[in-house]
Amino acid sequence: HYGHPLALDGLASSMIMKFLFRGDLSDLESAIELRREALEEAMDRATDRGIISENLADNLRLRYQETGQNRDLDEAIDLYRASPVVDSSTDPSRWIKLTDMAHALYLRSIKIFQPEDLQESISIFEDVLKSFPVEHKFRPHIVQELSNTLLLRGEQNDNQQDVDRAIQLLEGTEVAVIDSLYSPAFLHTLGRSYLVRFCRNHNHRDADRARKTMLDLLDRVAEGRRDR
């Protein structure tokens, strides 16, 4: 059936939702297998293949975060690079796939110290952030992602400027992010950035800020959520 690959992709999405809520790895495994099957069935339909391969890359990146298997992350990055959306200058969703790839490169640079991966990740996030107006609703998410990469580079290279810039970016972001979908990740990065700076400078005000931010985060994350 013509729509069968996308139907399989939709079923995979429902399995991902179950995984994110319950944390059962079998749901994530099922989603990946469904998307591999969908990809095979969409061999002659470039548009469908693009959608499915990008979603598969997201799922492989997610499985890497659960299991730490390098091959998942390597395959995800290869799929992102092959995406026609990443190379498009007109597709409005290009920034989404670019930042997904940048996040994957960031994850790989944590596991395997590859300065070129981290630099490429930072460059992508910097470029996307420059293209967003201050009021863009997804700007806080990009700030959070960029700050994570800056913190990592700051720790790896013993660079105080990167740590300070990460904090400056986070503190300069609209407070509206606190009530957004990205609130937990944003607050976690902010709290971690204070802690990183405290470990370097031993300024107790940073320790107090880190503690306050993490307690605020704990209050905002509902019981039963995996990230609590």
Side-chain angles (χ1 to χ4, degrees):
H1 188 276
Y2 185 82
H4 193 241
L6 290 182
L8 288 173
D9 188 69
L11 180 58
S13 293
S14 67
M15 300 304 294
I16 290 296
M17 292 300 293
K18 286 176 62 179
F19 166 72
L20 293 174
F21 186 76
R22 301 191 313 172
D24 188 338
L25 192 60
S26 66
D27 291 328
L28 177 56
E29 300 283 2
S30 296
I32 289 172
E33 290 308 310
L34 284 167
R35 284 191 161 125
R36 289 198 189 281
E37 182 183 347
L39 205 55
E40 288 184 9
E41 293 195 14
M43 289 295 291
D44 58 344
R45 297 200 286 278
T47 301
D48 290 355
R49 280 186 62 80
I51 294 170
I52 296 165
S53 65
E54 289 162 9
N55 289 336
L56 176 58
D58 292 342
N59 296 168
L60 289 167
R61 176 166 54 93
L62 187 56
R63 188 167 69 179
Y64 167 80
Q65 292 175 268
E66 295 292 320
T67 67
Q69 293 295 318
N70 291 340
R71 63 178 179 270
D72 280 340
L73 197 55
D74 291 341
E75 184 182 357
I77 291 170
D78 288 343
L79 287 168
Y80 287 133
R81 290 197 190 282
S83 170
V85 173
V86 168
D87 289 330
S88 171
S89 60
T90 57
D91 194 307
S93 66
R94 179 175 183 261
W95 72 267
I96 298 174
K97 291 301 112 183
L98 276 173
T99 54
D100 286 342
M101 183 174 75
H103 185 70
L105 289 164
Y106 160 73
L107 291 174
R108 190 162 69 180
S109 66
I110 295 174
K111 184 75 174 287
I112 306 169
F113 180 55
Q114 293 182 246
E116 61 273 17
D117 277 350
L118 185 55
Q119 188 54 52
E120 183 179 3
S121 179
I122 290 172
S123 295
I124 291 171
F125 286 130
E126 292 272 23
D127 288 344
V128 172
L129 189 63
K130 287 175 185 175
S131 71
F132 280 4
V134 174
E135 67 275 8
H136 196 290
K137 66 178 181 179
F138 291 118
R139 185 181 174 88
H141 172 60
I142 305 304
V143 166
Q144 179 253 324
E145 292 275 22
L146 173 58
S147 297
N148 275 329
T149 60
L150 290 170
L151 284 173
L152 180 60
R153 189 173 69 180
E155 291 177 292
Q156 290 180 345
N157 297 339
D158 194 27
N159 187 333
Q160 180 69 37
Q161 288 183 330
D162 279 339
V163 177
D164 289 341
R165 178 151 185 262
I167 292 174
Q168 183 182 35
L169 283 167
L170 292 161
E171 289 182 336
T173 300
E174 286 294 327
V175 182
V177 71
I178 301 304
D179 298 317
S180 79
L181 175 66
Y182 303 109
S183 169
F186 187 92
L187 286 174
H188 182 269
T189 300
L190 179 59
R192 188 170 73 87
S193 68
Y194 289 135
L195 188 59
V196 168
R197 192 164 68 180
F198 167 72
C199 290
R200 293 176 59 84
N201 296 342
H202 304 290
N203 185 326
H204 288 282
R205 285 180 295 180
D206 281 329
D208 290 341
R209 292 183 186 111
R211 181 177 181 276
K212 180 178 182 301
T213 302
M214 290 304 188
L215 287 174
D216 188 14
L217 170 60
L218 193 61
D219 285 342
R220 293 173 185 276
V221 179
E223 293 282 353
R225 279 186 53 161
R226 294 183 69 225
D227 49 2
R228 183 179 172 87

